[in-house]
Amino acid sequence: MHLNEKIQAIIEAPVFQPGHVWLAGAGPGHPRYLTLEVADAIGKADVIVHDALVSEDVLSLAKTADLIFVGKRGGKPSVAQDDITTKLIELAREGKRVLRLKGGDPFVFGRGGEEAEALARENISFRILPGMTSALAALAAANIPATMRGISRAITLATGHAAGTPGDLDWKALAKTGEPIVVYMGVSTIGTIAKLLMEGGLPSETPVAVLMAATMPGERSMIATLATVEAEIERQNFAAPALIVIGRIVSMQTALSGQHR
Ligand code: SAH
């Protein structure tokens, strides 16, 4: 990479030390959304421990690092969280520069908090390197403003993972705010989520965007409504990774479409 010296000096402090773990976000998929310091760390790491959402294109920037995959693949269950943290600790104790690389941002539905906690407990030095969370990149790619004066004053990032199970988020309360919601990991639970949001007062015609594989090969998107989204996901074969955007901001897409991307 050709960076001017000033940028190089900025990203080289602090130095990636042997025996340290850097917990980093790789952004939504396309390498253009890597931060400068994460791109630099990929080139310097001895070992990269990565999830399924870190794209091949991003990993191809690694020069000499060993790559260790700890995500879900081919329907097999993912490596247990405890085993991942044990691995990170082991590698750090061997004196490696360990880059723990996750899709999006490590602290947004990325279990970065849990891993950092385990490293702190074991007295292993670590840093958190933020990444662009997928929701922001996906909204931008879809021409949907995350916030818009006159339309929204807040935006909720929620996980749909546990929708409908005891102790889950109060979706009806979220509906009452009237503010837009971006649902991560919600493809298989969107039926339940939509029902709860409508019970909470959101109109059934509320626009919903489904943004799949944003910035990745195979990127697709569609617009539906709260009433139709579950059936449309099924009919059009949308699958993870996808984000579901619910609220009036989605209708801005029409106004902004046709602009150069
Ligand atoms: N830490 C990540 C989120 C990990 S949870 C982040 O900040 O983005 C995994 C979920 O993120 C997926 O199920 C999907 O809902 C979402 N996701 C991640 N990358 C995505 C992408 N490129 N396009 C659409 N959704 C994505």
Side-chain angles (χ1 to χ4, degrees):
M1 195 188 317
H2 300 286
L3 294 170
N4 76 35
E5 281 167 24
K6 201 163 174 186
I7 295 177
Q8 201 66 49
I10 291 167
I11 60 183
E12 277 177 4
V15 172
F16 200 167
Q17 306 270 10
H20 287 197
V21 179
W22 283 9
L23 286 169
H30 195 289
R32 75 164 66 98
Y33 299 107
L34 285 170
T35 65
L36 293 172
E37 69 169 354
V38 173
D40 192 55
I42 289 171
K44 291 192 171 131
D46 297 312
V47 54
I48 300 177
V49 181
H50 67 97
D51 290 335
L53 282 170
V54 179
S55 67
E56 289 300 320
D57 288 343
V58 166
L59 293 172
S60 73
L61 303 177
K63 291 180 196 131
T64 53
D66 291 332
L67 303 181
I68 302 180
F69 173 73
V70 291
K72 237 183 246 192
R73 189 171 280 165
K76 292 191 195 130
S78 48
V79 180
Q81 189 61 46
D82 282 353
D83 296 341
I84 297 173
T85 44
T86 306
K87 188 83 202 159
L88 296 177
I89 292 161
E90 230 174 71
L91 291 164
R93 294 219 166 111
E94 287 168 18
K96 304 265 170 58
R97 294 177 191 85
V98 185
L99 185 64
R100 172 69 173 115
L101 199 54
K102 296 159 176 287
D105 182 274
F107 276 178
V108 180
F109 306 126
R111 300 203 167 188
E114 286 152 77
E115 292 178 18
E117 206 170 51
L119 295 169
R121 216 170 26 236
E122 298 292 325
N123 277 320
I124 290 173
S125 301
F126 67 90
R127 273 186 73 213
I128 309 297
L129 284 61
M132 185 190 290
T133 192
S134 53
L136 298 183
L139 286 167
N143 278 343
I144 299 170
T147 67
M148 180 101 185
R149 287 212 308 167
I151 296 186
S152 61
R153 289 170 181 276
I155 184 154
T156 296
L157 305 184
T159 170
H161 181 68
T165 62
D168 188 41
L169 261 175
D170 188 345
W171 293 92
K172 290 187 200 175
L174 285 183
K176 290 199 174 67
T177 68
E179 301 290 353
I181 305 164
V182 183
V183 183
Y184 290 62
M185 294 173 276
V187 171
S188 57
T189 51
I190 188 60
T192 306
I193 293 169
K195 181 170 160 284
L196 292 169
L197 291 174
M198 288 187 280
E199 284 171 13
L202 281 187
S204 59
E205 65 274 14
T206 302
V208 178
V210 186
L211 310 174
M212 175 176 159
T215 85
M216 295 174 172
E219 176 170 8
R220 289 167 72 199
S221 66
M222 64 135 143
I223 307 278
T225 66
L226 266 186
T228 64
V229 63
E230 183 183 22
E232 284 301 315
I233 283 178
E234 170 121 22
R235 193 177 70 79
Q236 300 187 38
N237 280 317
F238 272 63
L243 293 149
I244 303 170
V245 188
I246 301 157
R248 286 193 300 133
I249 51 164
V250 170
S251 56
M252 285 305 300
Q253 188 189 43
T254 327
L256 300 177
S257 67
Q259 304 301 310
H260 178 72
R261 279 178 56 181

